[in-house]
Amino acid sequence: MDEGVDEAGWDVEPGDEIEPVVQAVGRLLKVCRESAGMSVPELAAALGYGEDMIRKIERGARIPRPECLDRADQILRAQGHLRAFMDDMRKARYPKKVRQLAELEERSVEMLLYSNHNIHGLLQTDEYARALLRTWRPAYSPDELERMVTARMARKSVFERSPAPELGFVLEEVTLRRPIGDTMVLRRQLEHILEVAKLPFVELQVMPTAHANHPGTGGRIQVLKFADGTGMGRTDGDFGGRPVSHPRQLRVLDLRYGIIRAQALTPEESLVFIEQTLGEL
């Protein structure tokens, strides 16, 4: 199986609520293929994928990439019927546990994010994310790893929204020094952070390790706020690590994040700190 085959999509997770949609897309692909008078081998060759991969997509066991549907629509002259499912497959590319988070991030008008173990996912480069996910145990299969990386990179579309949400990041110093992957991967990661920090809707701060007495010792904090005045938050330390939306619980997270932000370096000092860290590598 060549590299192109691996790029066709991702296997459907058992019990995933997206499965009926994937199955419907598979049936539609088969109908379009047969209407065009093409065999599975012929379509596979035209798309550059393996025959087994096309069969898996047609029986709903494989989530096709949006680009795959776009090409198939052209080849089979499906008149946009396959393209109509591209947005659905963009959402389906997220693993089940990530999909809800991605949808919430897309709705948010403000995001307050504190990371204490690793650089936040929205700031990660492709190669840093790939190296980081390779450290997890039990290890991801190559297919699972590719899907996780793709989903993480797709979430960065929040930077391209108009209007963009207000984004606040506080990163622990250790996350900027741990050479995930290798030194060059870290160098490119820090350079990327410096570029992101220049965006007018991004406020990025560093919490020096020497500033030990702050409420971030309880774990990561995430607070998303929506246009209707509601919000969603999560922290490792409380509420069982589950998302919360009650105003009283959100006030707790707002309080903690506010203290953390006040004790961290200012955005200007943080950029200087990251540049100095980069120069030490």
Side-chain angles (χ1 to χ4, degrees):
M1 191 176 294
D2 61 30
E3 184 177 336
V5 171
D6 292 335
E7 292 297 313
W10 309 270
D11 286 344
V12 179
E13 295 179 82
D16 194 332
E17 65 272 9
I18 202 71
E19 186 174 14
V21 180
V22 177
Q23 291 174 340
V25 172
R27 289 194 296 270
L28 178 61
L29 177 63
K30 183 176 181 179
V31 168
C32 292
R33 175 180 60 76
E34 292 176 344
S35 297
M38 293 187 72
S39 66
V40 169
E42 289 171 336
L43 178 58
L47 289 172
Y49 300 141
E51 296 176 27
D52 182 61
M53 194 63 62
I54 299 302
R55 292 190 176 93
K56 288 183 72 175
I57 292 175
E58 288 191 351
R59 67 172 183 265
R62 188 82 172 176
I63 302 169
R65 288 178 179 268
E67 314 87 79
C68 177
L69 289 183
D70 184 39
R71 291 172 58 196
D73 197 285
Q74 296 177 38
I75 293 168
L76 301 175
R77 298 182 180 179
Q79 300 181 334
H81 291 95
L82 291 171
R83 286 197 189 98
F85 284 93
M86 288 175 64
D87 283 342
D88 296 278
M89 295 304 98
R90 285 192 183 94
K91 295 177 181 177
R93 64 185 165 181
Y94 296 111
K96 183 179 180 180
K97 62 182 179 181
V98 178
R99 195 175 300 134
Q100 183 182 21
L101 173 60
E103 292 173 352
L104 290 171
E105 289 176 343
E106 289 176 0
R107 288 176 47 209
S108 65
V109 295
E110 183 180 5
M111 300 171 64
L112 307 176
L113 308 162
Y114 164 70
S115 300
N116 63 340
H117 283 93
N118 301 299
I119 292 169
H120 193 276
L122 290 177
L123 295 173
Q124 291 175 14
T125 63
D126 181 286
E127 61 178 350
Y128 180 94
R130 195 176 302 276
L132 176 63
L133 291 169
R134 283 196 177 110
T135 68
W136 290 18
R137 293 297 181 271
Y140 288 117
S141 68
D143 187 72
E144 291 171 331
L145 177 65
E146 184 62 30
R147 190 179 184 195
M148 290 295 291
V149 172
T150 300
R152 185 162 296 187
M153 294 303 102
R155 283 172 52 205
K156 294 167 70 173
S157 63
V158 297
F159 292 105
E160 301 167 2
R161 280 171 42 194
S162 181
E166 292 296 319
L167 296 169
F169 296 92
V170 180
L171 304 178
E172 284 286 345
E173 175 185 347
V174 65
T175 67
L176 304 173
R177 295 190 182 277
R178 183 175 290 126
I180 298 294
D182 57 35
T183 301
M184 291 307 299
V185 170
L186 181 58
R187 282 190 61 86
R188 287 188 286 268
Q189 175 62 72
L190 295 184
E191 290 169 350
H192 175 68
I193 290 175
L194 289 173
E195 288 300 312
V196 173
K198 296 176 183 177
L199 296 172
F201 51 87
V202 173
E203 184 176 80
L204 191 144
Q205 296 174 257
V206 174
M207 176 66 78
T209 302
H211 296 186
N213 299 317
H214 63 79
T217 54
R220 295 171 298 174
I221 296 175
Q222 175 187 49
V223 179
L224 307 183
K225 300 183 180 182
F226 310 120
D228 62 1
T230 62
M232 188 282 293
R234 180 182 297 179
T235 181
D236 293 334
D238 282 324
F239 318 124
R242 296 179 180 179
V244 296
S245 56
H246 193 281
R248 185 180 300 110
Q249 296 167 322
L250 291 175
R251 280 197 296 271
V252 170
L253 298 183
D254 261 328
L255 172 66
R256 291 182 186 173
Y257 186 85
I259 296 173
I260 291 169
R261 180 163 55 185
Q263 294 185 9
L265 300 178
T266 67
E268 293 75 16
E269 293 170 338
S270 296
L271 291 183
V272 172
F273 185 93
I274 295 173
E275 290 171 349
Q276 290 174 342
T277 303
L278 184 58
E280 296 169 4
L281 295 177

